[in-house]
């Protein structure tokens, strides 16, 4: 539905705006090129170019048992080429993108080849001015964060102008005016809304001379972001409501670090913002992130607390999921690394409302102790709990307009996730290291819909044993045995991984995921996938073949559903 | 789309075509009007969007050809105390610097930096090298950087790149990715990924710098 709608957006003004930005970029590049060519050997300033190429190609075979489908074109390819050039105080960059056609699992509306990002920048001690596609984060990102995550197909770049002023050491002021990247169809396509933001950050120890030698470091900051999108009226129940043209969000933050102790916090408010995420209610939004840490050599602990209420904030109120988010709400659960723990039941932030706490601890048992042995032993412990928020529903017209009332920052009654895990790592000899990780999860699939087979709370135990064995100076083996036990959803899973590496170039790996506990005998499938990789310097080529499970792929608490696939994969990356 | 008026950057396009020996005759057949000069023929042949596209490609090739040493771009990062560090100013008194991109959620990254940690004291004595570990943990996991680093007792300088701006400025696609800079701050070696034994490669490169 969305794909169709995007084609009919009134975007006639965008090519014109884009051309203007392109002209600016072209002008800056031209100046740079001429300047650079004419000034070689006469000045110590040197130009530098950095960038990369990325190609992901996939071929598809039909496999009805795992649900793998074949698109009409039988293959998919996503490719990127990024270039960033710096000459003295000037820099400029460009990124070419190709979706021929987009790999399955990425938005199918990304099509063709063209320029997906371009920017130019001038910078001196006082000012930094950037035009074009800008990546920026204010504070923890709860008011504004634009970023590029090619593996998830996310690019909410702010396309406009940003000025950063540093009037004095310790003070950073930022201002930004931009549209936001929404789509790609042989060129970058921006969304409808306008984003305007300002941020101030003060590092007190730099600003106040008497605080400079002080061991306690204090940073304070504040940000304000406003989006503009013309709004008419909506019909809700029997009411006709006027949509706000402008929606503001603002936040204050502080970070204190004193020796081993650290504290940071940010509180954000958002005024009425009826949108597709919150089903067009006019309630205000708010969010709180708190973090307390203590850490000395050999030991570290952090406690985090998070409260989010109605904080979806997009530059187009009608969009959902990955499209034009202005802000970023991090997830409080740990980002797991082992396959079964990270892809079957990954938790993602519930933007409409959640309250959570987490604890993280790291400890190293000293060498030459009973438990530590010759090399010491590392322990990591993590617990996260997230529930809904404590609210009371409203009645009558208030319910239609405002939806609900929030009572406190406390947990509501509905459980979203519990995630306890502990990891032990012990080096037994110069060449042998073993790791054991245990996870206990309670995961609400009604809230984070990662599966269609079960609605409710999944209780799962996961055990992972990993062995790393160095065979000689160049060759090493890494093996993982993983087991997930649950009475819900697809029941029990086992995973085995075997990897052989020959430094500095080669890796060979084979992964088998086996849903041996599935009630449906036909679904007890081995998902076998083999990979060969070759690395040289900053370049890597990897070829893989086999079956991939339908699942969830997450980066930084943002997850995308990936369809099942069966076929050949080629992955090339090169940094220069 | 609107065809814009005279622009300053037609010249490099022309010279590029001439350099490529592309006969203007073929192009003129594509154009609607025969009595236009070569310059405008090209303007008509390529849509405005394509012209900018082509120009950008040419400009970047020119720059790539004229780019000399590969040094560090300037990005403002924070250290673990909250101080702002400009990556352009990273230095080590004329000794080599190793920059490792890593994250708390990245197992090979931690294997790499833990492997270096065992050898770091020896490497420092031999070559005076300094290792800077740049964490690309975003807001979700950045709070784990300090406790993790302390728990494993790394002696590296740690920088935080929460929105991947330094990572992108250096063209790094995924972590781990390691750069070696000589005493003048030029990137002379890099390596993507980590496999046990890769530390020997880095050590060899460090020794080459020393000799």
């Amino acid at each position: 539905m969305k794909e169709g709608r995007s084609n009919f957006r009134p975007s006639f003004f965008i090519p014109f705006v884009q051309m203007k930005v392109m002209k600016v970029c072209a002008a800056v590049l031209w100046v740079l090129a001429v300047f650079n060519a004419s000034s070689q050997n006469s000045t110590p300033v040197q130009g530098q170019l950095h960038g990369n190429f990325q190609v992901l190609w996939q071929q598809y075979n039909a496999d009805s048992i795992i649900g793998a489908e074949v698109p009409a074109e039988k293959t998919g390819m996503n490719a990127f080429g990024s270039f960033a050039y710096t000459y003295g105080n000037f820099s400029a960059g460009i990124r070419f993108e190709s979706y021929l056609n987009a790999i399955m699992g990425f938005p199918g509306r990304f099509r063709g080849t063209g320029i997906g990002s371009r920017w130019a920048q001038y910078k001196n001690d006082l000012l930094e001015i950037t035009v074009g596609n800008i990546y920026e984060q204010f504070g923890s990102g709860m008011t504004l964060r634009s970023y590029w995550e090619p593996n998830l197909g996310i690019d909410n770049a702010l396309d406009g102008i940003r000025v950063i002023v540093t009037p004095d050491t310790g003070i950073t002021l930022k201002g930004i005016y931009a549209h936001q990247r929404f789509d790609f169809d042989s060129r970058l396509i921006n969304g409808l809304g306008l984003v305007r933001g300002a941020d101030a950050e003060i590092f007190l120890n730099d600003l106040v001379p008497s605080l400079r030698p002080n061991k306690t470091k204090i940073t304070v900051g504040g940000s304000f972001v406003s989006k503009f999108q013309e709004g008419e009226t909506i019909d809700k129940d029997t009411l006709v409501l006027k949509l706000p043209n402008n929606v503001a969000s603002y936040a204050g933050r502080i970070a204190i670090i004193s020796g081993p102790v650290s504290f940071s916090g940010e509180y954000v408010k958002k005024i009425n913002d009826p949108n597709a995420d919150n089903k067009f209610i006019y309630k205000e939004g708010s969010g709180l992130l708190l973090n307390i840490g203590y850490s000395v050599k050999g030991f570290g602990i952090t406690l985090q607390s998070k409260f989010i209420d109605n904080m979806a904030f997009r530059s187009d109120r009608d969009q959902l999921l990955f499209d034009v988010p202005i802000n970023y709400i991090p997830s409080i659960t740990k980002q797991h690394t082992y396959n079964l723990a990270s892809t079957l039941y990954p938790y993602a932030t519930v933007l409409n409302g959640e309250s959570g706490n987490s604890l993280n601890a790291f400890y190293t048992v000293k060498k030459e102790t009973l438990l530590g042995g010759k090399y010491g032993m590392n322990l990591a412990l993590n617990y996260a709990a997230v529930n809904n928020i404590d609210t009371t529903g409203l009645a009558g017209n208030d319910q239609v307009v405002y939806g609900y009332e929030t009572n406190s920052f406390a947990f509501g009654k509905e459980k979203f996730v519990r995630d306890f895990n502990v990891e032990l790592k012990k080096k037994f000899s110069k060449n042998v290291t073993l790791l054991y990780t245990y996870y206990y999860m309670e995961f609400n699939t009604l809230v984070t819909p990662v599966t269609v087979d079960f609605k409710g709370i999944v209780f799962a135990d996961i055990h992972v044993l990993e062995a790393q064995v160095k065979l000689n100076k160049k060759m090493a083996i890494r093996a993982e045995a993983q087991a997930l036990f649950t009475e819900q959803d697809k029941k029990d899973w086992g995973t085995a991984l075997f990897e052989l590496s020959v430094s500095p170039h080669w890796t060979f790996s084979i992964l088998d995921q086996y849903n041996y506990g599935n009630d449906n005998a036909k679904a007890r499938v081995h998902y076998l996938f083999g990979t060969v990789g070759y690395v040289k310097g900053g370049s890597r080529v990897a070829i893989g073949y086999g079956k991939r499970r339908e699942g969830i792929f997450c980066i930084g608490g943002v997850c995308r559903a990936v369809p099942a696939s069966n076929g050949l994969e080629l992955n090339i990356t090169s940094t220069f | 789309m609107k065809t814009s008026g005279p622009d300053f950057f037609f010249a490099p396009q022309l010279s590029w075509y001439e350099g490529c020996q592309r006969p203007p005759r073929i192009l003129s057949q594509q154009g609607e009007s025969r009595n236009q000069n070569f310059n405008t023929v090209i303007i008509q042949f390529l849509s405005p969007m394509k012209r900018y596209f082509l120009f950008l490609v040419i400009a970047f090739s020119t720059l790539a050809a004229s780019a000399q040493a590969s040094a560090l771009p300037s990005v403002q990062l924070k250290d673990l105390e909250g101080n702002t560090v400009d990556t352009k100013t990273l230095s080590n008194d004329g000794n080599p610097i190793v920059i490792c991109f890593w994250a708390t959620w990245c197992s090979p990254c931690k294997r790499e930096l833990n492997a270096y940690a065992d050898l770091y004291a020896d490497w420092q004595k031999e070559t005076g090298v300094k290792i800077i570990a740049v964490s690309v943990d975003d807001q979700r996991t950045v709070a784990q950087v300090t406790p993790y680093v302390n728990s494993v007792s790394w002696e590296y300088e740690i920088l935080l790149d929460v929105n991947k701006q330094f990572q992108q400025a250096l063209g790094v696609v995924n972590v781990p990715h390691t750069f070696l800079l000589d005493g003048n701050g030029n990137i002379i070696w890099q390596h993507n990924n980590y496999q046990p034994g890769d530390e020997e490669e880095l050590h060899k490169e460090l020794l080459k710098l020393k000799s």
Side-chain angles (χ1 to χ4, degrees):
Chain A
M1 188 187 90
K2 265 181 147 184
E3 277 90 324
R5 189 171 52 178
S6 72
N7 291 335
F8 298 102
R9 297 172 73 80
S11 57
F12 50 84
F13 65 96
I14 290 164
F16 180 68
V17 173
Q18 247 207 341
M19 294 277 287
K20 283 210 154 172
V21 178
M22 297 270 288
K23 275 190 188 177
V24 173
C25 288
V28 172
L29 275 168
W30 173 240
V31 171
L32 285 176
V34 170
F35 196 44
N36 196 36
S38 65
S39 62
Q40 276 181 30
N41 307 322
S42 60
T43 160
V45 181
Q46 290 182 334
Q48 38 161 316
L49 181 78
H50 294 285
N52 61 52
F53 286 100
Q54 304 175 48
V55 180
L56 176 60
W57 176 87
Q58 208 166 344
Q59 173 265 333
Y60 302 98
N61 299 327
D63 189 329
S64 57
I65 295 172
I66 64 168
E69 289 178 6
V70 182
E73 64 273 19
K74 292 196 166 69
T75 59
M77 187 188 72
N78 293 357
F80 304 96
S82 304
F83 307 83
Y85 182 79
T86 306
Y87 184 83
N89 291 337
F90 289 97
S91 54
I94 191 167
R95 181 170 74 233
F96 298 92
E97 301 186 14
S98 265
Y99 303 92
L100 300 169
N101 288 337
I103 298 277
M104 285 171 80
F106 282 81
R109 56 169 213 254
F110 289 4
R111 287 185 301 201
T113 299
I115 296 166
S117 170
R118 64 286 180 275
W119 54 272
Q121 186 181 81
Y122 172 76
K123 173 173 198 173
N124 61 26
D125 290 342
L126 175 68
L127 284 172
E128 179 185 314
I129 303 173
T130 313
V131 290
N133 292 82
I134 296 158
Y135 298 111
E136 175 60 62
Q137 178 174 330
F138 290 170
S140 63
M142 287 199 295
T143 51
L144 182 141
R145 184 193 184 203
S146 61
Y147 65 112
W148 181 47
E149 189 50 77
N151 296 315
L152 289 173
I154 291 180
D155 186 349
N156 64 338
L158 291 160
D159 189 6
I161 181 161
R162 176 185 65 187
V163 178
I164 301 178
V165 187
T166 319
D168 197 353
T169 34
I171 304 181
T172 310
L173 307 171
K174 295 176 183 176
I176 196 161
Y177 249 78
H179 284 281
Q180 208 171 9
R181 173 170 159 150
F182 166 70
D183 201 355
F184 186 86
D185 190 351
S186 301
R187 65 183 173 81
L188 134 87
I189 296 171
N190 286 328
L192 295 172
L194 179 65
V195 180
R196 299 154 295 187
D199 184 79
E201 186 166 287
I202 297 169
F203 185 50
L204 288 177
N205 298 70
D206 271 350
L207 187 69
V208 185
S210 62
L211 282 177
R212 255 172 225 169
N214 204 322
K215 277 198 172 164
T216 303
K217 311 282 180 188
I218 303 171
T219 311
V220 292
S223 53
F224 177 85
V225 176
S226 163
K227 69 148 182 195
F228 167 75
Q229 181 188 10
E230 264 183 88
E232 309 217 326
T233 55
I234 46 164
D235 298 338
K236 279 191 96 180
D237 210 18
T238 55
L239 306 172
V240 179
L241 303 168
K242 169 90 184 79
L243 288 167
N245 288 327
N246 295 288
V247 175
S249 166
Y250 47 94
R253 61 185 187 267
I254 186 164
I256 304 167
I257 298 165
S258 182
V261 183
S262 65
F263 169 81
S264 65
E266 179 162 20
Y267 182 66
V268 60
K269 284 286 278 183
K270 189 186 63 155
I271 63 166
N272 61 9
D273 179 23
N275 59 48
D277 289 276
N278 67 18
K279 302 200 170 61
F280 292 89
I281 56 167
Y282 285 65
K283 186 186 183 302
E284 295 195 338
S286 65
L288 177 70
L289 280 181
L290 291 174
N291 181 67
I292 300 166
Y294 175 81
S295 144
V296 289
K297 208 170 182 179
F299 175 69
I301 186 165
T302 56
L303 280 163
Q304 281 178 293
S305 214
K306 173 184 162 188
F307 171 84
I308 291 298
D309 178 11
N310 186 22
M311 274 311 290
F313 189 33
R314 302 174 194 272
S315 59
D316 181 343
R317 64 174 77 82
D318 297 319
Q319 299 302 331
L320 286 165
L321 297 167
F322 305 98
D323 292 327
V324 292
I326 298 171
N327 65 350
Y328 170 79
I329 311 285
S331 166
I332 203 167
T333 53
K334 189 171 179 171
Q335 188 152 325
H336 299 308
T337 46
Y338 291 109
N339 185 286
L340 285 180
S342 67
T343 61
L344 272 170
Y345 304 112
Y347 184 72
T349 299
V350 178
L351 297 173
N352 283 340
E354 64 170 39
S355 182
N357 294 307
S358 79
L359 178 147
N360 259 289
F362 304 94
Y363 178 63
T364 300
V365 182
K366 282 197 181 116
K367 293 174 187 175
E368 310 299 344
T369 56
L370 185 64
L371 274 173
K374 197 179 168 190
Y375 298 94
M377 180 166 80
N378 304 98
L379 289 157
L381 184 138
N382 164 257
Y383 177 69
V386 184
N387 270 32
N388 67 338
I389 50 175
D390 177 19
T391 61
T392 309
L394 296 169
N397 282 349
D398 279 351
Q399 196 274 326
V400 178
V401 181
Y402 298 105
Y404 61 92
E405 230 173 33
T406 306
N407 304 324
S408 67
F409 290 142
F411 274 27
K413 290 201 176 80
E414 194 187 354
K415 192 186 282 177
F416 284 1
V417 74
R418 296 288 181 274
D419 184 345
F420 169 81
N421 52 82
V422 56
E423 182 187 291
L424 305 173
K425 179 184 153 201
K426 185 152 170 57
K427 196 168 170 178
F428 285 89
S429 74
K430 225 176 162 183
N431 297 322
V432 180
T433 304
L434 288 182
L435 291 95
Y436 169 75
T437 312
Y438 169 74
Y439 305 80
Y440 172 72
M441 286 184 188
E442 294 176 18
F443 191 94
N444 191 335
T445 62
L446 288 164
V447 175
T448 317
V450 296
T451 172
V452 289
D453 298 334
F454 181 79
K455 301 269 176 252
I457 294 186
V458 172
F459 298 84
D461 292 281
I462 308 173
H463 301 266
V464 178
L465 188 64
E466 176 181 341
Q468 301 165 2
V469 181
K470 241 183 133 172
L471 301 175
N472 58 39
K473 275 201 159 183
K474 287 182 173 249
M475 282 167 77
I477 287 171
R478 203 171 69 80
E480 288 174 13
Q482 307 181 23
L484 180 145
F485 303 105
T486 179
E487 290 301 312
Q488 291 82 32
D489 194 22
K490 299 180 187 67
K491 306 279 175 79
D492 301 344
W493 284 84
T495 289
L497 171 85
F498 185 83
E499 192 179 280
L500 169 72
S501 63
V502 186
S503 170
H505 299 305
W506 292 96
T507 48
F508 306 88
S509 77
I510 189 148
L511 172 78
D512 184 18
Q513 278 187 311
Y514 182 31
N515 189 190
Y516 68 91
N518 203 309
D519 288 339
N520 174 1
K522 269 192 178 168
R524 288 174 204 151
V525 180
H526 284 276
Y527 292 84
L528 206 58
F529 199 89
T531 319
V532 178
Y534 183 85
V535 176
K536 192 169 184 206
S539 302
R540 181 167 182 270
V541 178
I543 296 171
Y545 186 81
K547 292 178 190 179
R548 282 202 193 273
R549 182 172 59 78
E550 170 189 42
I552 307 292
F553 179 69
C554 299
I555 292 172
V558 179
C559 304
R560 183 181 284 287
V562 179
S565 68
N566 181 348
L568 189 65
E569 270 182 40
L570 177 67
N571 199 340
I572 302 171
T573 60
S574 185
T575 299
F576 53 85
Chain B
M1 265 202 256
K2 174 179 153 247
T3 311
S4 43
D7 277 301
F8 54 86
F9 49 76
F10 291 147
Q13 282 188 350
L14 264 177
S15 61
W16 183 74
Y17 271 108
E18 282 165 352
C20 292
Q21 304 291 310
R22 190 153 179 181
R25 193 167 41 82
I26 297 173
L27 288 169
S28 66
Q29 284 167 3
Q30 314 268 343
E32 285 171 11
S33 167
R34 295 280 177 134
N35 52 9
Q36 284 170 324
N37 64 28
F38 180 50
N39 194 333
T40 46
V41 165
I42 290 179
I43 300 163
Q44 291 234 326
F45 175 58
L46 296 166
S47 72
M49 224 35 206
K50 281 201 175 120
R51 265 189 284 136
Y52 291 115
F53 191 91
L54 180 67
F55 176 79
L56 288 166
V57 172
I58 296 163
F60 267 100
S61 339
T62 319
L63 291 170
S66 61
Q68 297 174 355
S70 197
L72 291 180
S74 163
V75 177
Q76 315 289 326
L77 300 181
K78 291 266 175 77
D79 69 10
L80 295 181
E81 282 190 331
N83 300 297
T84 300
V85 177
D86 187 336
T87 54
K88 199 175 68 180
T89 64
L90 294 173
S91 67
N92 185 25
D93 299 328
N95 288 316
I97 297 177
V98 171
I99 294 180
C100 295
F101 284 86
W102 72 289
T104 57
W105 43 260
C106 163
S107 308
C109 303
K110 292 190 277 187
R111 280 201 290 279
E112 174 180 30
L113 285 163
N114 283 322
Y116 295 170
D118 293 339
L119 306 161
Y120 194 31
D122 291 343
W123 287 1
Q124 278 184 310
K125 260 184 224 154
E126 275 175 354
T127 63
V129 66
K130 174 159 90 178
I131 296 181
I132 299 171
V134 180
S135 146
V136 297
D137 282 272
D138 72 6
Q139 208 56 45
R140 180 182 186 184
T141 48
V142 70
Q144 313 312 330
V145 173
T146 303
Y148 178 77
V149 165
N150 274 335
S151 80
V152 290
S153 305
W154 287 349
E155 302 288 339
Y156 314 136
E157 189 175 325
I158 311 286
L159 295 176
L160 305 173
D161 188 16
V162 285
N163 209 23
K164 300 200 295 184
Q165 300 195 331
F166 190 41
Q167 178 185 343
Q168 281 170 15
L170 275 172
V172 170
V173 179
N174 46 33
V175 290
H177 198 111
T178 303
F179 292 94
L180 173 61
L181 280 68
D182 66 14
N184 299 320
N186 297 316
I187 297 168
I188 53 156
W189 179 88
Q190 59 171 310
H191 197 278
N192 177 234
N193 219 297
Y194 169 79
Q195 296 303 341
D198 286 357
E199 58 273 21
E200 305 283 335
E201 282 290 300
L202 177 58
H203 187 220
K204 260 189 235 163
E205 295 296 325
L206 280 168
L207 291 178
K208 263 194 234 167
L209 270 183
K210 190 72 190 165
S211 59

